[in-house]
Amino acid sequence: MAAYQDKRHSVGLAMVMELFVPGLGCIYGDHWQGAWITWGLVLGGGMLMLSGYDTGPTPGSSNYGARARLATGFGIMMAGGIYGFVDAIRSNLEYNQRLRQQLGLPEWIAFSLQPISTRQGIALAPSLHFTF
């Protein structure tokens, strides 16, 4: 159990990584393909937004095409960000499952450290969790 606790990945940490650097949570979960997809969507959407950036309207022309590229690019960037979060969560959960299998641990049992109150303050105590 201690080997599992030392090597397992935190899904919360993966989400924080993904928030600050899109694709990093996927890499943390050992899923490079998810990072490449995230980067492609975010960068592709950003490039589409930049191509739609208009410095100002020209007389006699409409800028509907520029607005459409801005909106579409923004949507693609948001889709990339959402995909990154979902993939970071999924890939880190799958990483932990593969680690349990490699260590021969059953999937219905988990070990963690939980904070408890003592007379001297807060301490960490081992905790065993069962899922049915």
Side-chain angles (χ1 to χ4, degrees), residues 14 47 65:
M47 289 174 61

Side-chain angles (χ1 to χ4, degrees), residues 17-95:
M17 293 170 136
E18 194 68 33
L19 178 67
F20 289 108
V21 181
L24 191 58
C26 304
I27 294 171
Y28 177 64
D30 200 26
H31 191 240
W32 281 88
Q33 297 90 342
W36 284 108
I37 293 169
T38 301
W39 293 333
L41 289 170
V42 170
L43 292 175
M47 289 174 61
L48 188 60
M49 282 181 66
L50 285 176
S51 74
Y53 178 72
D54 194 4
T55 57
T58 57
S61 70
S62 66
N63 58 356
Y64 293 120
R67 289 181 188 165
R69 286 191 304 271
L70 282 170
T72 304
F74 180 75
I76 292 172
M77 282 182 67
M78 293 303 295
I82 292 168
Y83 174 83
F85 272 103
V86 171
D87 189 68
I89 293 168
R90 185 187 55 78
S91 62
N92 281 282
L93 288 174
E94 287 177 1
Y95 176 90

